[in-house]
Amino acid sequence: MPQGASLSLRELAKFYDGAGAVLGVSLDLEPGKFLTLLGPSGSGKTTTLMMVAGFVDPTGGDILVNGRSVARMPAHKRDMGMVFQNYALFPHMTVAENVGFPLKMRNMSRSERDDRIATFVKMVGLEPFAKRYPQQLSGGQQQRVALARALVFSPSLVLMDEPLGALDRRLRLQMQEEIKGIQRELGLTVIYVTHDQEEALTMSDMVAVMEGGRISSFGTPREIYEKPTNRFVANFIGESNFIPCHLEQAGGETLARLESGARVAVGASDLPAGAPGVIFLRPERLRLCAADDALPNKVPGRVMGEIYLGDASLYRVRLGDGLEVKVKRPNRGYGMPVREGDEMMVGWQPADSIVLRA
Amino acid sequence: MSERTLSPGNIALSAFSVIVLFVLVAPILVIVLVSFTPGDLMQFPPQGFSLRWYQRYFEDPQWQSATALSFLVAGLTAVFSLVLGFLTSLALVRGRFPGKNALRIFLMSPLIIPKIIVAVGLYFLYVRMRILGTTFGLVAAHTLIAMPYVVMILSAALFGFDRRLEWAARNLGASPLKTLWHVTLPLLRPAIISAALFAFIASFDDIILSLFLTKLSAPTLPRQIWVNVQQVIDPTIAAVSTLMTLISVLGLWLVALIQRMAARGAR
């Protein structure tokens, strides 16, 4: 049974002096789910979070927690725990006092409070540091205090504003795992804001990609990554290839005519025949192969260079019409050797491609 | 670190500094020494050592009531100017309203306008309001001249205040008032104490407003000194002056200490 609440946003909007920061955001999130608002800076993700928290008054729309509107409720009555970007720990309070602050504000008795503080300080592994002040802790430890403080009062929603941005990569990965683990165990509903797409994919149940104050795409990480609905999302998350084309109908089958004149089979597309589009292909779904390979779609190209990534290599391949595509190949230590200047075929399965609006 | 050189320029600069320092400190030093004289006259250098003028000060009811009034007025001034100054600083730093800069400059004006003009103005105003010679009237006047210091110190502190701490408190369930009490005020404590001490000293040191606004029968300490200088000129004045200087120096030392502690805490 998740302890978190459900969240719905209805046409939530914020205008500053006529200019829109958030232009009507709607979404529904089930209890106990981890939602990431992902987008570049200025996309409205932080403003959306601040409206949910109650620090920014919406110009329009509504926020529903468990079906009840909280849009007009003052921040301190919303019962949401927030982890701020730079933690916002109270410098004049010890770790234990910081964690106990929300309980004190709720007039919890001293003994009950101490029990809960002990439980949560232990949960984030900071028992030896309970009497220390925030300035005496490392960045990662401060992060844990902020987390414990945001969770200790069993809030209906947990809000996180780029909480891992200040940590180095190794610590970030470790904290991602810990946060995800605690979220699952306690059944928390989390709204997480980040511009780091990798973080969004690994942690979330649902991802809302934001662009220019709107939700550009909403779905599970797998849907967002594998079946992007527009070029912005495809481009923002992961590496992508876009091959310009025109759609053609031929005997009940949809074909795409490339600029070189070659025709390739594609999966389903909403675009009408004759419309200009781009074939979207992830580098790892492309394969370097010989001309007699069994793949249905093959285009000739020349290998222009290799970027060595350790576990894989990324090849730049120039196609016949001058367009360069990226092909990712795992370094398994066997298979066809590839060198710069090689003439090869780039092949893919029609189902791995999506034709998007150009 | 650069080596100290004995160039003519450096020697001249050092000499000049010593002279300036001497000119500034010498009168205080003279007063301090005179206060320990055993004789009946202000005499420098003093002949011998005695605490009789300090004893006189502590035993004389007139001096004692003047001292009590000065402490009362300075204390109330600190309280009033802190409350008003804090609210004003909040408005100046966080508010958005037309004429904000004009208000800021207006509040600083007691620093620029000669005190004597303020005193004359208040004198006539107080006569009409029938509060001339009241403690309240003097506290109000001192609050006026203490405000610039309080507003300057508190708005600087508020300007550098991390508002996300207040957001965090609100988010964690603290009402606006509880946020102020548990987060904002404790974090501003060093600035508040500094501002209070400055306000206290601004009032405690004032003679001009006191001359115009107090009754002769109930003077503040500086006015009592003034009266004594005109009438009797005995070394009690030197003893009182020494004590007053001590209080001011202690106050400023406290401010410096608090600021140093705050700087260390922030690290």
Side-chain angles (χ1 to χ4, degrees):
Chain A
M1 184 62 197
Q3 75 169 51
S6 71
L7 173 73
S8 298
L9 305 182
R10 298 268 176 270
E11 288 300 319
L12 193 61
K14 179 65 190 179
F15 289 84
Y16 290 105
D17 301 326
V22 176
L23 311 166
V25 163
S26 300
L27 59 82
D28 290 292
L29 188 66
E30 291 167 30
K33 294 290 185 191
F34 193 116
L35 166 72
T36 296
L37 301 178
L38 176 68
S41 51
S43 60
K45 56 189 195 300
T46 297
T47 308
T48 303
L49 190 77
M50 292 301 163
M51 285 195 277
V52 174
F55 301 136
V56 171
D57 287 328
T59 316
D62 206 352
I63 303 158
L64 306 172
V65 175
N66 277 341
R68 268 181 56 226
S69 170
V70 300
R72 299 274 166 273
M73 196 183 267
H76 64 278
K77 292 191 176 152
R78 291 198 185 186
D79 196 36
M80 300 175 183
M82 180 144 176
V83 178
F84 288 81
Q85 199 166 8
N86 290 308
Y87 320 136
L89 298 177
F90 304 126
H92 58 301
M93 298 182 197
T94 63
V95 168
E97 284 165 349
N98 263 285
V99 174
F101 184 81
L103 305 177
K104 195 168 158 191
M105 290 304 112
R106 284 165 176 74
N107 298 318
M108 189 182 272
S109 75
R110 182 92 207 200
S111 57
E112 210 178 331
R113 209 157 79 200
D114 288 345
D115 285 352
R116 267 196 97 83
I117 293 170
T119 309
F120 277 80
V121 167
K122 188 175 175 200
M123 184 185 79
V124 295
L126 287 178
E127 295 138 296
F129 304 102
K131 294 273 177 286
R132 299 249 186 116
Y133 285 88
Q135 309 87 283
Q136 299 169 306
L137 302 179
S138 71
Q141 290 167 335
Q142 291 186 27
Q143 164 71 61
R144 286 157 200 266
V145 179
L147 191 64
R149 190 179 68 172
L151 300 181
V152 70
F153 57 104
S154 308
S156 58
L157 289 181
V158 179
L159 312 177
M160 301 195 184
D161 183 15
E162 309 219 7
L164 306 180
L167 304 179
D168 63 58
R169 187 180 155 77
R170 184 182 274 282
L171 197 53
R172 205 160 64 221
L173 294 177
Q174 189 190 336
M175 286 306 296
Q176 282 177 12
E177 247 173 72
E178 280 185 38
I179 292 174
K180 188 66 194 166
I182 292 170
Q183 182 260 336
R184 266 211 207 99
E185 194 184 315
L186 301 181
L188 304 170
T189 308
V190 174
I191 323 293
Y192 192 97
V193 162
T194 185
H195 61 258
D196 182 336
Q197 38 123 344
E198 198 184 328
E199 213 166 271
L201 293 179
T202 55
M203 298 179 79
S204 318
D205 297 310
M206 300 300 284
V207 178
V209 183
M210 294 195 64
E211 180 202 7
R214 296 178 199 282
I215 292 184
S216 178
S217 190
F218 183 68
T220 64
R222 192 178 290 273
E223 286 165 354
I224 294 281
Y225 184 80
E226 292 181 7
K227 302 258 182 286
T229 50
N230 59 56
R231 211 174 155 160
F232 174 79
V233 174
N235 203 20
F236 190 70
I237 298 178
E239 297 257 22
S240 306
N241 293 305
F242 298 106
I243 305 172
C245 70
H246 281 81
L247 283 186
E248 286 178 350
Q249 289 288 347
E253 206 185 352
T254 308
L255 292 177
R257 181 168 45 82
L258 308 185
E259 287 183 347
S260 64
R263 286 176 170 76
V264 294
V266 295
S269 172
D270 301 337
L271 285 187
V278 287
I279 303 174
F280 155 77
L281 282 160
R282 292 287 183 199
E284 69 272 18
R285 294 295 168 101
L286 288 177
R287 271 173 45 199
L288 293 172
C289 58
D292 57 357
D293 197 278
L295 280 170
N297 286 339
K298 287 189 290 292
V299 199
R302 175 197 283 266
V303 179
M304 305 302 292
E306 175 189 356
I307 300 166
Y308 180 70
L309 302 173
D311 59 337
S313 281
L314 197 64
Y315 295 96
R316 287 188 295 119
V317 181
R318 176 172 291 170
L319 303 184
D321 49 7
L323 185 79
E324 263 191 21
V325 294
K326 288 167 279 186
V327 181
K328 193 175 188 178
R329 202 167 82 139
N331 285 328
R332 294 206 180 94
Y334 59 85
M336 189 171 55
V338 177
R339 277 181 309 274
E340 212 175 302
D342 284 357
E343 302 276 355
M344 310 187 99
M345 298 299 271
V346 174
W348 68 89
Q349 294 286 352
D352 287 340
S353 66
I354 298 175
V355 181
L356 301 171
R357 200 171 291 276
Chain B
M1 289 297 280
S2 63
E3 279 291 311
R4 277 181 107 188
T5 54
L6 283 176
S7 69
N10 267 348
I11 293 169
L13 184 64
S14 303
F16 181 70
S17 306
V18 168
I19 292 168
V20 169
L21 197 66
F22 184 76
V23 168
L24 287 176
V25 174
I28 299 173
L29 210 63
V30 169
I31 288 288
V32 171
L33 291 176
V34 166
S35 74
F36 294 111
T37 185
D40 288 337
L41 295 169
M42 292 269 228
Q43 202 175 19
F44 187 82
Q47 312 289 313
F49 176 87
S50 148
L51 289 175
R52 65 180 280 213
W53 299 111
Y54 286 88
Q55 189 182 6
R56 159 70 68 81
Y57 162 74
F58 282 109
E59 281 172 355
D60 183 342
Q62 234 181 349
W63 281 112
Q64 286 313 295
S65 67
T67 307
L69 181 67
S70 267
F71 270 100
L72 177 70
V73 169
L76 288 175
T77 298
V79 172
F80 285 145
S81 59
L82 265 189
V83 173
L84 286 174
F86 180 71
L87 297 176
T88 310
S89 303
L90 270 183
L92 285 179
V93 175
R94 296 183 178 176
R96 280 175 63 180
F97 54 89
K100 198 162 108 168
N101 269 321
L103 177 65
R104 191 196 310 273
I105 292 164
F106 177 71
L107 282 164
M108 292 300 140
S109 62
L111 286 182
I112 305 158
I113 296 171
K115 258 194 195 175
I116 185 87
I117 294 176
V118 178
V120 171
L122 285 176
Y123 179 83
F124 287 110
L125 186 70
Y126 280 12
V127 168
R128 277 179 162 227
M129 292 171 70
R130 296 169 186 282
I131 54 170
L132 192 66
T134 59
T135 306
F136 170 78
L138 187 62
V139 170
H142 281 178
T143 301
L144 183 74
I145 57 163
M147 277 289 275
Y149 301 105
V150 174
V151 169
M152 255 195 299
I153 293 169
L154 290 186
S155 36
L158 273 174
F159 194 75
F161 191 87
D162 183 358
R163 292 208 68 185
R164 278 171 313 182
L165 294 173
E166 290 177 345
W167 284 11
R170 294 294 307 281
N171 170 260
L172 296 168
S175 64
L177 264 180
K178 279 187 170 176
T179 302
L180 183 71
W181 184 251
H182 289 288
V183 175
T184 315
L185 289 180
L187 288 173
L188 290 177
R189 188 179 297 145
I192 290 172
I193 295 175
S194 296
L197 285 168
F198 268 101
F200 188 94
I201 292 171
S203 163
F204 198 73
D205 279 355
D206 167 71
I207 171 77
I208 301 174
L209 290 168
S210 300
L211 274 180
F212 279 78
L213 305 177
T214 54
K215 285 179 292 202
L216 198 52
S217 59
T220 59
L221 196 50
R223 182 166 188 184
Q224 178 69 19
I225 294 174
W226 176 258
V227 170
N228 258 259
V229 168
Q230 289 178 322
Q231 291 168 355
V232 280
I233 317 197
D234 69 22
T236 319
I237 296 164
V240 177
S241 303
T242 303
L243 288 173
M244 277 191 77
T245 309
L246 196 66
I247 288 170
S248 292
V249 169
L250 273 177
L252 287 174
W253 176 75
L254 259 178
V255 170
L257 191 75
I258 287 159
Q259 279 165 353
R260 193 154 1 121
M261 270 162 46
R264 196 174 305 151
R267 243 185 299 149

